[in-house]
Amino acid sequence: MEKTEDKNQQQEEEQVVNPWEVSAKDGGKIDYDKLIDKFGCQRLDQSFVDRVQRLTSRPPHVFLRRGVFFAHRDFNDILDAYERGDKFYLYTGRGPSSEALHLGHLIPFMFTKYLQDAFKVPLVIQLTDDEKCMWKNLSVEESQRLARENAKDIIACGFDISKTFIFSDFDYVGGAFYKNMVKVAKCVTYNKVVGIFGFTGEDHIGKVSFPPVQAVPSFPSSFPHLFSGKDDLRCLIPCAIDQDPYFRMTRDVAPRIGYHKPALIESLFFPALQGENGKMSASDPNSAIYVTDSAKDIKYKVNKHAFTGGQDSIEKHRQYGANLEVDIPIKYLNFFLEDDAELEHIKKEYGAGRMLTGEVKKRLAEVLTELVERHRRARAAVTEEMVDAFMAVRPLPNMFD
Amino acid sequence: MGYSKDQLLARLKELQIEFSQYEHPVVLTVEAQAKYVGNMGGVLSKNLFLKDKKHRYYVVSALADTKVDLKVLSQRLGLGKSGLRMAPEEALSEILQVPLGCVTPFAVVNESARHVSLLLDQGFKTQKCCIFHPLSNDMSIFLNAQGLDKFLKSVGRNPSYIDLEANPPVGKDQPPDLAALVPSDSPVLSDLPEKAPSSQDCTGKSVGAAINSAAVTAKAVKPSGNAQNVKEKPVDSVRPSIPAADAGKFVEELLDRASALLLSEISEDSIKQHGGQLGDEVANNIKKCLREDLKNLATIFKNTAYTEGFYAGTRYQPKRL
């Protein structure tokens, strides 16, 4: 999806958040409170985290404890239904535009895996190869190839094959899925999509007709081989908050065609190594940690490119402490360091100036290396046959077990 | 058991692919083949069975007149200047399951050739009629590129046509243009960290070291019965070095990690610190530290076992009534 001028805001004065552009006001930080207000979604407060812990009888995921997943729509309905014994299914996806995945890409998948394990529910994963073919002008074959390659990294996140269906649009669109696409399409006027997605007269018709493709996995009838007879099944979509405008359209349409609105649980943006104001871009390998990076690469990137809040000199640092607001290693540890007590300790010592930046970076490099190593080993176990099995249109008889 | 010529012909007919066939005495070269079928209106193909340094195989099928430069091809695949050579005779019978002189794109119908990359001359596309061996040198079949494509798609192959005579520059800023056609085996785990990182939440660097050595010394196992695997050395650097759907190896890996952690937890200090309660303390720590790791290993094991079953299920032959 292309960057485009947001017709509803003046970019110089306000922050811009939509599926193609994320930028803060005056090059500062994203104001998430304002975002929640503007989008009209809800904050995920501690009571939710506690409730999830109670319902799933296990410690809540680090992303919940640290407020990485911080906003939602109708998550309480999902939990109410779950408590009554009504299950739900998960839906998430990836636009396979590049072979190289970085840690930011993995976040929704890591969280979705936790949700699958904790609630014991099935999951559908959509690979929008058609979208990338259209927006990034890739050939059909190349986008399909990338979809398969990305599927391997996704599988390596540890999804249970007996409860997970991965599909690519080029393979799966048709049948019941397409029928739902038409139902959705009939409910959204051209003017509406232009308003949401900013299409112009120059954009080709492929783009204009794409949005329903990403909407209908929210409806169980799109997957007759999985959910036949379960039209009442609810859907929960973990995603980053920039996708919200997109699912607002879906939630608007759902009741008009007789389906439940999908619920959402949304995450913060993952900052680039160079800081909140930097952009993670595929053309700058130093802006992110990739799942193919070696321990050496990770150490180098963290040491040389991570933006820190430490002071210029040791004396100043001991006196004033570090600026935790902008420090990237602390932010990354917030995402990936499991131990709450250790993180608190580091923040306290570093903020007071007793711990130096080098130490924090060293710890971060250790944590990231372990993560990336674990991912690589899991990735090595993914064969072409396993991808075929995950992507086969087959029943999942044990999907709620 | 390799596909036979008759099975192939039957399959082509089933798929309603237009072709014609011509029997002749066994031929081992294109020249010999030309004597019998050279004047029948089709275009002869020459077929090469190649191998690279990492034991990956390729079938290059081209119009007889197309010039194929192995050095250029090797560079375009990203294998360096002399990465490609002719595959040995044994590979022909084991992997392609065809006799000498009978390399043909149709050989990919065999399971043993599953990971062989197929490179097709784009020149085929404009010919009305191309000539190949149907898994046996005593016959030639004539069909067009569309027919070949239909067959290849029916066995789950995506036909890749390339300009075999092209010689694009390959360098830092120009990646090898055919790199995508190199068989994608599981990546080599050659860059395990030199210093094992310590696990989060757990004391002792020995845990990391144990995990590292377990990964390196565990024998390589690939689940599905791949003929390529049978001939390769036991510790194959191309295969993943983690336990796959082998229950024994899986359990060994779990026990290795648990005992490494156990050993690291018991030291003079910890004995002094916890005394009689050391047992409880260690047991709790082990559970806390290993729970997620072991669950992940178990999920990989489950997924691999399921995949083996699925693969077998899609190829099973229903009972004859």
Side-chain angles (χ1 to χ4, degrees):
Chain A
M1 305 199 194
E2 289 173 332
K3 275 198 211 177
T4 177
E5 280 206 42
D6 191 322
K7 295 185 170 66
N8 302 324
Q9 292 178 310
Q10 282 129 354
Q11 285 173 287
E12 312 84 50
E13 291 179 11
E14 303 253 351
Q15 61 188 11
V16 176
V17 176
N18 60 54
W20 319 274
E21 187 181 342
V22 172
S23 59
K25 185 163 122 164
D26 295 336
K29 282 190 347 165
I30 298 280
D31 186 337
Y32 286 105
D33 285 318
K34 253 196 176 159
L35 201 54
I36 290 184
D37 261 344
K38 177 160 172 287
F39 283 173
C41 45
Q42 261 69 52
R43 243 201 199 272
L44 203 65
D45 57 34
Q46 188 59 36
S47 66
F48 269 102
V49 180
D50 295 335
R51 195 176 174 198
V52 166
Q53 174 159 21
R54 233 183 21 246
L55 283 175
T56 58
S57 317
R58 64 174 73 194
H61 192 267
V62 62
F63 291 163
L64 276 176
R65 299 196 314 263
R66 307 277 170 76
V68 170
F69 276 82
F70 73 110
H72 76 97
R73 289 182 187 277
D74 290 347
F75 188 42
N76 46 314
D77 285 349
I78 293 274
L79 295 179
D80 289 342
Y82 188 77
E83 234 169 344
R84 287 195 302 266
D86 292 333
K87 299 255 190 170
F88 59 93
Y89 75 100
L90 295 162
Y91 156 39
T92 191
R94 164 149 173 91
S97 55
S98 63
E99 208 150 344
L101 278 164
H102 56 62
L103 294 182
H105 293 135
L106 289 189
I107 287 176
F109 291 111
M110 290 164 69
F111 189 62
T112 304
K113 172 199 150 57
Y114 153 78
L115 289 173
Q116 179 177 68
D117 289 347
F119 287 96
K120 302 198 194 316
V121 289
L123 161 67
V124 301
I125 300 179
Q126 178 183 44
L127 296 168
T128 55
D129 40 8
D130 52 347
E131 182 208 346
K132 292 309 171 189
C133 175
M134 289 195 277
W135 263 270
K136 302 271 172 169
N137 199 19
L138 301 172
S139 72
V140 169
E141 290 80 16
E142 181 62 5
S143 49
Q144 283 185 292
R145 186 187 75 82
L146 287 176
R148 264 187 88 91
E149 284 307 307
N150 283 182
K152 293 178 189 165
D153 279 297
I154 292 173
I155 290 172
C157 291
F159 295 108
D160 183 335
I161 197 172
S162 66
K163 300 180 176 172
T164 306
F165 174 53
I166 302 180
F167 65 99
S168 89
D169 290 340
F170 276 131
D171 287 339
Y172 191 66
V173 170
F177 193 91
Y178 182 61
K179 290 178 190 170
N180 278 341
M181 277 170 57
V182 171
K183 284 191 197 174
V184 168
K186 283 167 74 170
C187 292
V188 185
T189 63
Y190 179 71
N191 287 334
K192 190 104 192 252
V193 283
V194 167
I196 300 176
F197 301 116
F199 295 138
T200 69
E202 297 307 305
D203 284 315
H204 58 70
I205 55 178
K207 292 186 185 175
V208 178
S209 48
F210 176 75
V213 180
Q214 207 164 322
V216 308
S218 322
F219 309 130
S221 54
S222 303
F223 303 101
H225 66 287
L226 297 177
F227 304 130
S228 154
K230 296 197 178 74
D231 278 346
D232 216 34
L233 190 63
R234 289 164 191 273
C235 176
L236 174 65
I237 309 177
C239 61
I241 195 164
D242 61 339
Q243 301 295 311
D244 188 279
Y246 181 74
F247 290 110
R248 277 207 302 276
M249 177 196 90
T250 312
R251 284 169 57 89
D252 189 52
V253 170
R256 290 194 264 157
I257 53 180
Y259 293 139
H260 277 305
K261 295 186 197 180
L264 277 93
I265 181 166
E266 298 157 304
S267 71
L268 306 169
F269 303 114
F270 189 63
L273 270 173
Q274 287 87 347
E276 294 270 16
N277 318 323
K279 271 210 167 125
M280 267 197 292
S281 93
S283 54
D284 179 8
N286 288 324
S287 62
I289 305 284
Y290 288 89
V291 298
T292 44
D293 283 345
S294 67
K296 235 167 43 177
D297 290 331
I298 293 177
K299 194 160 146 203
Y300 170 77
K301 286 186 188 181
V302 166
N303 282 337
K304 283 273 173 315
H305 293 279
F307 183 83
T308 74
Q311 301 296 343
D312 301 335
S313 68
I314 296 193
E315 297 78 32
K316 263 185 152 174
H317 184 85
R318 297 258 188 236
Q319 190 173 10
Y320 297 114
N323 179 358
L324 299 183
E325 286 294 302
V326 303
D327 187 274
I328 286 297
I330 288 290
K331 284 181 196 286
Y332 275 33
L333 284 173
N334 196 45
F335 278 81
F336 296 120
L337 179 56
E338 287 275 345
D339 188 337
D340 289 337
E342 190 185 347
L343 182 66
E344 274 318 297
H345 174 80
I346 293 178
K347 278 181 169 170
K348 188 159 138 225
E349 298 298 290
Y350 189 44
R354 289 187 289 272
M355 191 183 284
L356 296 180
T357 303
E359 259 185 271
V360 181
K361 282 187 168 181
K362 181 160 165 278
R363 187 69 183 110
L364 176 65
E366 273 171 14
V367 167
L368 294 180
T369 301
E370 188 179 324
L371 186 68
V372 167
E373 257 315 297
R374 198 176 337 135
H375 182 92
R376 264 230 299 281
R377 297 185 57 170
R379 171 72 154 87
V382 178
T383 57
E384 293 295 334
E385 289 84 3
M386 197 184 282
V387 176
D388 290 336
F390 264 96
M391 295 184 73
V393 176
R394 69 213 188 277
L396 299 178
N398 303 322
M399 60 176 143
F400 291 113
D401 295 342
Chain B
M1 283 303 301
Y3 244 63
S4 74
K5 164 183 74 179
D6 294 318
Q7 283 173 315
L8 175 67
L9 297 176
R11 182 76 167 261
L12 291 175
K13 292 197 185 99
E14 248 174 69
L15 291 165
Q16 295 181 323
I17 295 176
E18 268 195 52
F19 73 99
S20 37
Q21 62 197 63
Y22 186 81
E23 281 179 34
H24 49 67
V26 164
V27 290
L28 293 178
T29 62
V30 176
E31 294 76 38
Q33 191 185 18
K35 284 204 204 105
Y36 298 105
V37 298
N39 289 325
M40 295 177 68
V43 158
L44 284 163
S45 65
K46 67 178 170 211
N47 299 271
L48 306 166
F49 187 40
L50 307 170
K51 158 175 137 89
D52 70 20
K53 292 185 174 154
K54 292 193 174 161
H55 309 291
R56 295 180 292 218
Y57 293 85
Y58 308 78
V59 165
V60 174
S61 187
L63 298 176
D65 289 332
T66 301
K67 294 195 190 35
V68 176
D69 184 333
L70 288 190
K71 281 211 225 42
V72 168
L73 205 54
S74 174
Q75 273 194 301
R76 287 174 70 188
L77 285 164
L79 305 171
K81 287 214 180 80
S82 50
L84 275 183
R85 44 200 68 185
M86 303 295 280
E89 265 185 53
E90 310 87 61
L92 204 57
S93 46
E94 266 149 33
I95 296 174
L96 289 190
Q97 302 200 60
V98 293
L100 199 54
C102 192
V103 179
T104 166
F106 290 96
V108 301
V109 69
N110 286 312
E111 277 320 308
S112 50
R114 219 178 144 67
H115 294 285
V116 174
S117 177
L118 183 58
L119 281 70
L120 301 168
D121 187 344
Q122 70 186 20
F124 285 135
K125 294 219 261 201
T126 47
Q127 294 296 330
K128 258 204 291 232
C129 210
C130 313
I131 311 179
F132 302 99
H133 281 309
L135 304 178
S136 158
N137 334 40
D138 60 1
M139 182 186 278
S140 297
I141 55 174
F142 301 67
L143 74 170
N144 61 18
Q146 287 79 27
L148 179 62
D149 284 352
K150 197 167 176 191
F151 175 78
L152 290 173
K153 291 200 180 117
S154 82
V155 293
R157 286 274 186 160
N158 214 5
S160 329
Y161 288 91
I162 55 181
D163 179 356
L164 284 169
E165 289 185 333
N167 187 354
V170 174
K172 198 162 67 98
D173 296 319
Q174 301 103 340
D177 68 314
L178 301 180
L181 295 173
V182 172
S184 56
D185 265 323
S186 322
V188 182
L189 286 181
S190 57
D191 44 1
L192 290 169
E194 309 87 53
K195 276 211 188 119
S198 52
S199 305
Q200 294 185 46
D201 296 344
C202 301
T203 55
K205 293 243 182 305
S206 55
V207 176
I211 293 174
N212 209 11
S213 58
V216 167
T217 59
K219 278 218 192 128
V221 172
K222 187 155 185 222
S224 51
N226 190 335
Q228 258 178 298
N229 212 16
V230 170
K231 278 299 160 185
E232 265 160 340
K233 298 188 286 226
V235 183
D236 190 341
S237 58
V238 178
R239 303 286 181 245
S241 60
I242 53 159
D246 182 319
K249 293 209 163 57
F250 174 57
V251 167
E252 283 309 312
E253 172 92 19
L254 299 185
L255 288 176
D256 278 342
R257 291 189 188 218
S259 52
L261 190 51
L262 179 71
L263 290 173
S264 74
E265 292 273 317
I266 298 184
S267 64
E268 276 212 37
D269 287 335
S270 62
I271 294 177
K272 265 192 225 148
Q273 187 181 356
H274 299 285
Q277 306 299 332
L278 188 57
D280 283 330
E281 176 73 17
V282 170
N284 282 334
N285 275 351
I286 289 184
K287 280 195 197 165
K288 190 169 82 149
C289 288
L290 285 188
R291 182 171 280 120
E292 282 315 306
D293 254 354
L294 297 189
K295 273 199 205 160
N296 287 336
L297 282 179
T299 302
I300 294 175
F301 183 76
K302 173 180 181 177
N303 288 350
T304 310
Y306 178 111
T307 300
E308 283 187 63
F310 183 81
Y311 185 86
T314 53
R315 281 157 181 80
Y316 106 117
Q317 289 166 9
K319 286 200 197 136
R320 270 172 240 155
L321 296 163

